[in-house]
Amino acid sequence: MHQLDVDQLPRHVAIIMDGNGRWAKKRFLNRIVGHEEGANSVRAVVRSCRELGIPYLTLYAFSKENWQRPPSEVDALWHLLKKFLISELPELLDKGIRVCHIGDLEGIPDDVVRELLKVIEQTKHLDRLVVNLAVNYGGRQEIERAARLFAEDVRSGRYSPEELSGELFSSYLFTRGTPDPDLIIRTSGEYRVSNFLLWQLAYAELYITDVLWPDFREEEFLAALRDYQKRERRFGTYYDDQTPTQRCAAGSQQ
Ligand code: FPP
């Protein structure tokens, strides 16, 4: 199927969806049209993950830095997200897709929060695919928050500082319970991680493509997965014939 080895698919794919503005500019269109077309790519990638059986997908929909955009664009992004949540709910329910949120709810307009919480609540029992929407999200802020929460637990006597391990720290992140991403995709050719999943991407494979996000549809996603399947993952170990490395089987990264 699609020249992909279905036993070697990533368990968790995370995507920095970039290039909506450039896509619109190339066509002399308003940037908002680029975001609207980007929402269609979101739908396409969610469907692909569901069809392929990839169980976790995380999408960087609105970063902490995105607040610095012109208010009209910020408003349009909120409007688009709300509209998308409303329009997609029936398909999410039908296909067993659970939506989760990572990031701070505080700051997001109330009507969008209401819609987000509604979709989270109505899909919480579903398990065919988990879609984490990173909205009002920043990787550093997530780590700061986790450190603060752990410090509070130390102060209350629940833990001693010595008990902190990577695993315990991960449980204070928004992504607790989710395996770390195996594959990070960034569209539109920028070589940056832009404050996305800074803790979680420690051993992820990076795939960067010049394709702009609104043009990133199923074929492009399959190309990323094929590229991923060619990688040899070492998880920080060195290569030697006696040391079994992992050819992109999902999970078990330490
Ligand atoms: C980057 O393009 C994209 C964003 C800032 C937002 C991502 C939003 C979407 C894909 C649409 C809606 C999302 C959902 C979940 C429905 P850019 O504006 O930075 O592009 P540029 O770098 O070319 O200007």
Side-chain angles (χ1 to χ4, degrees):
M1 183 173 64
H2 316 297
Q3 296 164 290
L4 280 173
D5 179 347
V6 288
D7 295 325
Q8 303 283 310
L9 286 167
R11 192 152 57 135
H12 183 178
V13 178
I15 308 184
I16 302 175
M17 309 181 286
D18 195 13
N20 295 348
R22 273 162 284 174
W23 184 93
K25 195 173 172 198
K26 269 170 56 177
R27 291 163 177 77
F28 306 102
L29 296 167
N30 190 299
R31 294 175 58 80
I32 314 298
V33 183
H35 294 312
E36 284 167 356
E37 207 46 42
N40 292 330
S41 295
V42 171
R43 187 180 302 104
V45 169
V46 169
R47 282 182 181 159
S48 291
C49 284
R50 175 64 182 80
E51 279 160 24
L52 290 164
I54 292 172
Y56 295 93
L57 172 68
T58 299
L59 299 168
Y60 206 3
F62 192 95
S63 71
K64 289 281 180 189
E65 291 74 18
N66 287 156
W67 288 109
Q68 288 151 29
R69 297 190 175 209
S72 59
E73 184 175 348
V74 171
D75 286 351
L77 280 167
W78 292 130
H79 178 71
L80 183 58
L81 178 61
K82 181 179 165 185
K83 204 170 82 172
F84 187 83
L85 290 166
I86 294 169
S87 67
E88 299 313 296
L89 184 57
E91 182 168 339
L92 296 170
L93 294 171
D94 184 50
K95 297 207 170 134
I97 300 171
R98 175 178 183 183
V99 171
C100 297
H101 168 242
I102 63 170
D104 294 315
L105 283 177
E106 204 184 320
I108 301 175
D110 289 346
D111 57 329
V112 182
V113 171
R114 267 197 302 279
E115 224 45 65
L116 193 53
L117 293 180
K118 180 176 156 194
V119 172
I120 290 169
E121 175 63 24
Q122 294 201 12
T123 63
K124 70 178 184 203
H125 58 291
L126 303 172
D127 61 2
R128 302 301 296 270
L129 165 64
V130 175
V131 177
N132 288 316
L133 292 179
V135 180
N136 197 17
Y137 173 85
R140 281 195 172 179
Q141 290 83 350
E142 179 184 35
I143 292 169
E144 284 164 16
R145 174 181 172 274
R148 207 174 300 118
L149 292 172
F150 178 71
E152 280 166 15
D153 278 349
V154 169
R155 190 164 51 191
S156 73
R158 185 170 177 213
Y159 290 116
S160 67
E162 295 71 32
E163 283 177 280
L164 186 63
S165 62
E167 197 183 342
L168 181 59
F169 192 74
S170 294
S171 73
Y172 285 91
L173 298 171
F174 291 122
T175 49
R176 67 190 160 274
T178 306
D180 285 345
D182 302 294
L183 171 63
I184 304 268
I185 297 172
R186 179 164 192 149
T187 57
S188 93
E190 307 290 348
Y191 285 71
R192 287 192 289 275
V193 290
S194 298
N195 204 16
F196 188 44
L197 301 177
L198 296 182
W199 172 273
Q200 299 88 334
L201 59 70
Y203 297 105
E205 296 293 323
L206 284 171
Y207 178 83
I208 294 170
T209 171
D210 286 336
V211 173
L212 304 175
W213 177 250
D215 290 326
F216 193 92
R217 299 288 160 94
E218 189 186 15
E219 258 323 299
E220 301 297 337
F221 187 53
L222 295 176
L225 295 174
R226 279 194 289 272
D227 187 86
Y228 168 81
Q229 293 197 332
K230 287 191 255 153
R231 313 273 181 98
E232 197 170 68
R233 303 184 73 191
R234 293 187 200 153
F235 303 105
T237 64
Y238 59 92
Y239 181 81
D240 104 26
D241 284 347
Q242 307 305 312
T243 308
T245 54
Q246 196 177 1
R247 191 168 274 277
C248 292
S252 75
Q253 59 266 57
Q254 285 302 325

